[in-house]
Amino acid sequence: MARADNDLDGARCVVIGAGMGGLCAAIALAARGAKVRVLERAPQPGGRAQRIALGGYSFDIGEPYILMPQFLGQVFSAAGLRLNDFLDLQPLATPTRVVMPVAAEGEEPARVDLHREQEALEAEFARFSEIDAGRVAPFLRRAAKLQRASELKHHLLPGGRLSASPRRGADTMLWRGRGLDPRSYEAMLRRAFRHETVRRAMGALTHRLGLSPHQTSAVAMVRGALAPRKGAWVPVGGMGAIVPALLRVAGELGVQIACGREVERIELEGGRVRAVIGIGPDGKPMKALRADVVVSTLDPVATMKRMMPQTRNVQRELSHRQRARLGRSGFLWMVGVREVPALFEHPETIFLPENEAETARQMDQWRVPAHRPPLFVWNGSAATPGLAPESGGALQFFLPMPAHDASRWRWDDAAADRTREELLERLEGLGLEGFEDLIEEERMVTPGEFATDPWRTGGVLFGRRSCGFGLGEGRLAGNGASRVPGLFFAGAWAPPGPILPLIAAGAMRAADGAADDFRTTRAVRQAMAR
């Protein structure tokens, strides 16, 4: 099998976690010649990508399609393989419908379909503004330019950082000198389009990352802006088919995956990682695994607090990372219905809040559930046949919520039931009276349940803020811990973000950083041996 590089030949790598991020990182490391072991505490790999069954309904947790599969394709390309040889991807013509808030009682909410084809998208925008329809092509060209500039490796500053603050003149000049855009995504949209409905529709995908357009840098969201051009895709067999494909590639590369193994401790030697200690499925300690590189897919703060000796450098790294604000958690309601309302016929429907800035303020500053926050409805059965009985549907309703540990709201059964009732009232306001009568199976997952996971700080789903100003592109080079050599992070907790294409990009960055670290360390050792 062809490999992208061999700069990790002889390196012993341990990946903690066998979810999407862990498997992508393991493949990227093994493709460079490393000997990779993956330790997973669950009985089987897959992490949050595992399929959940409720009666005759099945749910692939999260979004029901892939945006920009080229990022996932880079993982396969690193191993000299092609994504299309492992996954059969089918295009979705209209993956997302955006529903605007109703301004007055009895008013019909505006709906915008984000089409795959540019001409169809222009025709959709022409319903609101002919001028904005003509601005789609220039906007997408500008977004493509920003993406190319943001992906150049030479944009990193000394020390491995890229300045991401639009508030300081020197930083703004630096960004513009590299073709990047220092403004918020909202400012970019306001400059590009006149009609508010068009602007809000193009900014809707920022809510997936637990933010809103005014909180997100333009560079961090250009990939989402390019989604209509690059398109949305769904694997045959559903999103759950991605994990078996990654496992096949990992097996061909010789990656060893051990499930039922709980990592207890990462040992250091001379300030850098040297071994991993864990417990096997029988409850007995595992033999120490020597490691030149450790890639954790868990929360970086929890990893360093719970697994590592509290040396001065570890404490300094912790202090740096804890300054980043926790992201958001969420309320997830999985519902199996015998009939899908026409409003949810698309794979994804996004209901926008009335005031995005006020909604963000309530969750991030007041730390309480917002009044009518963004609502995501994922209809997996619209993209993947077989998830529900004929004429039925497997729907997921998702409401962003404040981080559990930072919230003034406490989740119990009564709070969950109250949120469910409020959600049903909201659906009735959208003309879906009697929706509750369609429900055959259901399950609720609250931030309180997410918070029971000791490795998910605050029960959050979006990690620490990874795509706002100063964080999305301004990250440590290679997703590494600068003060703890050999330690790297991947997965939903690591930059650039938690959705699938960004998880794959973060795993590749971790492998790049590990290769640079190992190459430098080996050169130093060889020089000292002389």
Side-chain angles (χ1 to χ4, degrees), residues 40 111 114 254 289 464:
E40 169 60 51
R111 303 173 186 179
L114 299 181
L289 296 177
R464 293 182 181 268

Side-chain angles (χ1 to χ4, degrees), residues 437-517:
D437 297 333
L438 300 176
I439 298 175
E440 295 187 332
E441 301 285 346
E442 65 176 301
R443 179 186 169 188
M444 292 182 289
V445 184
T446 71
E449 186 171 338
F450 289 126
T452 60
D453 185 344
W455 301 106
R456 192 187 297 279
T457 303
V460 303
L461 300 179
F462 300 100
R464 293 182 181 268
R465 286 296 172 80
S466 59
C467 56
F469 292 117
L471 295 169
E473 298 294 331
R475 55 186 179 270
L476 296 175
N479 281 9
S482 61
R483 298 173 180 86
V484 187
L487 178 63
F488 298 87
F489 300 101
W493 288 87
I499 61 177
L500 179 57
L502 304 185
I503 288 174
M508 293 296 293
R509 284 185 57 83
D512 289 343
D516 292 341
D517 174 80

Side-chain angles (χ1 to χ4, degrees), residues 398-434:
F398 180 79
L399 293 169
M401 293 288 172
H404 182 267
D405 289 0
S407 177
R408 297 187 175 96
W409 184 277
R410 285 295 171 258
W411 287 94
D412 52 21
D413 291 343
D417 291 339
R418 187 162 54 249
T419 303
R420 178 184 181 275
E421 292 302 317
E422 291 173 354
L423 186 50
L424 286 171
E425 290 178 6
R426 186 171 177 180
L427 295 179
E428 288 181 6
L430 293 167
L432 295 178
E433 295 87 354

